[in-house]
Structure formats: structure tokens, C-alpha cells
Amino acid sequence: MLSSNAGYAAEADALAVQYEETTFEAVHGRVLGLLPAAPARVLDVGAGTGRDAAALVRRGYAVVAVEPTAELRAHGRRIHAGVGIDWVDDSLPGLAAVPDAGPGFDAVLATAVWMHLDAGERVAAMERVAGLLRPAGLLFLTLRHGPVPAGRRMFDVGAEETVELASGHGLVPVHRSERADGHGRGGVSWSHVVLRRG
Ligand SMILES: C[S@@+](CC[C@H](N)C(=O)[O-])C[C@H]1O[C@@H](n2cnc3c(N)ncnc32)[C@H](O)[C@@H]1O
């Protein structure tokens, strides 16, 4: 069985270029207004090369970037050297290296990550992430739809079922939208879902 990050290590060099070709603002523009005011603590799960983590640090946030693919973490450390991202080798759903105790996070981002988890992992991941959020903390999710690239593991995960899953963990939706793919890939589209912890 493929792991949730299958295919990323082998393609890391090309993906690093692709991820950094776009900007945090282009990817998250429609939900930027929902970000908590800086300074605040943000967890970026499945951070890739740290494009978003770096932009958030520059905006005044303290950012923990979780990334299980060593090759992508290495690119991130190189590309964003000196920015001040706190890199962690870890993965959903457990996030064992992210401490339970402590202040929690004002926002958690999982950008283009959630659909790599199978149904059981998504249940466990939602519980874990909800538990890491402070009251009124926000979870920003993007879900990719469309053809699955060769060698990857991806599931067809809808916004509606994600909102439903989150509601069982005290998270309420504050934003939902759909958009076309920023790279113009045929058949690929995206859902944005933002949820707030009550
Ligand atoms: C499409 S990339 C998105 C990277 C970055 N968030 C971005 O928007 O550029 C998906 C990322 O999720 C990571 N990933 C895969 N399975 C994961 C898991 N179980 N927990 C955390 N990250 C995971 C991959 O290693 C990869 O970096």
C-alpha cells in the first residue's frame, strides 16, 4: 500500500521549483482576511518547501512547519534559510512530535494535504488538529480534486464531508469556496474550507 506522501521524495527537485513558482498570496488570497492578527502561532502541516510558512513568518507569525518528506524539508531549509521557520519531521494523523501541552495554535494550515489521508486517517487527523487549536483558532484546508498523479496516493475528499467531520470536533465552517487549478492542469480543481474552533 502506498504511504500518504508516496511519490514526493522522488519528485522533490521538480516540485520544489513548482511550489515556489507561486505565492502564498496567490494560493490563499480568498481567505487571507480570516488569518488571526499577527503575532500568533501557526502550524503548517504538510508544508512542502515552506512557501507558506516563510510568508507567514515574514508577516509576523511564529510558524511550525511539519513536513514528512525529508527531500522537501531539505529544499525548504535551503530556500528559506534564515527566515526562522521551525521545521519538524512529522506527519498526520499522529503529529507525535508536536507537543500536546503548551499554548496551542491560533491557526493550522493543511494546504493540498488532507486528500492524501484515507478515511480513518482523516478522522484521527481532525481530532488531533482540533485538539491543537486554541479556542477560536482556525483550520485552513485546501482539497485537491481531479486525476491522481502517477505514484501518488490521493482520495476524492469533498468539502461537505470535511465540514461534517469537523463539526464532530467542535469546528464550525466560516468559509467555503471552489476554484480552478492555479497551474492550469486539466480536470484539477480545489476546495477551500476554513473552520473555527468554538
Ligand atoms: C501537494 S504537497 C503541498 C505542499 C505545500 N503545502 C504547498 O502547498 O506547497 C503535499 C504535501 O503533503 C505532505 N504529506 C503527505 N502526507 C502527509 C501526512 N500524512 N502528514 C503531513 N504531510 C503529509 C507531502 O510530503 C507534501 O509535502
Side-chain angles (χ1 to χ4, degrees):
M1 197 183 82
L2 292 177
S3 65
S4 65
N5 68 338
Y8 282 101
E11 293 176 40
D13 292 353
L15 290 173
V17 174
Q18 182 189 314
Y19 294 162
E20 297 290 333
E21 263 170 7
T22 187
T23 62
F24 169 71
E25 289 75 14
V27 174
H28 297 283
R30 60 189 58 211
V31 296
L32 284 183
L34 293 170
L35 279 174
R41 298 189 76 228
V42 178
L43 178 67
D44 186 7
V45 186
T49 53
R51 175 201 63 235
D52 297 341
L56 286 161
V57 171
R58 291 198 177 94
R59 285 170 173 253
Y61 298 92
V63 183
V64 175
V66 165
E67 175 50 53
T69 305
E71 291 80 354
L72 288 174
R73 271 201 322 279
H75 277 296
R77 286 183 187 280
R78 174 183 58 78
I79 295 166
H80 302 295
V83 171
I85 299 168
D86 181 6
W87 285 100
V88 176
D89 172 11
D90 204 353
S91 58
L92 289 165
L95 296 181
V98 178
D100 283 324
F105 292 92
D106 302 288
V108 175
L109 273 65
T111 305
V113 177
W114 202 253
M115 69 283 159
H116 288 309
L117 306 177
D118 69 24
E121 290 168 340
R122 292 196 297 276
V123 170
M126 191 61 83
E127 180 175 7
R128 179 72 176 118
V129 164
L132 287 169
L133 282 172
R134 287 177 172 167
L138 293 154
L139 172 59
F140 295 78
L141 295 174
T142 69
L143 306 168
R144 174 176 162 150
H145 311 292
V148 179
R152 301 267 177 87
R153 188 186 80 157
M154 216 178 271
F155 301 92
D156 187 16
V157 183
E160 188 61 43
E161 67 181 281
T162 306
V163 167
E164 217 169 281
L165 173 60
S167 73
H169 298 281
L171 304 182
V172 294
V174 295
H175 173 95
R176 273 178 65 168
S177 62
E178 313 293 323
R179 68 169 166 86
D181 182 49
H183 296 283
R185 289 168 293 205
V188 176
S189 66
W190 296 86
S191 300
H192 287 254
V193 179
V194 184
L195 302 137
R196 176 177 281 123
R197 187 180 153 190

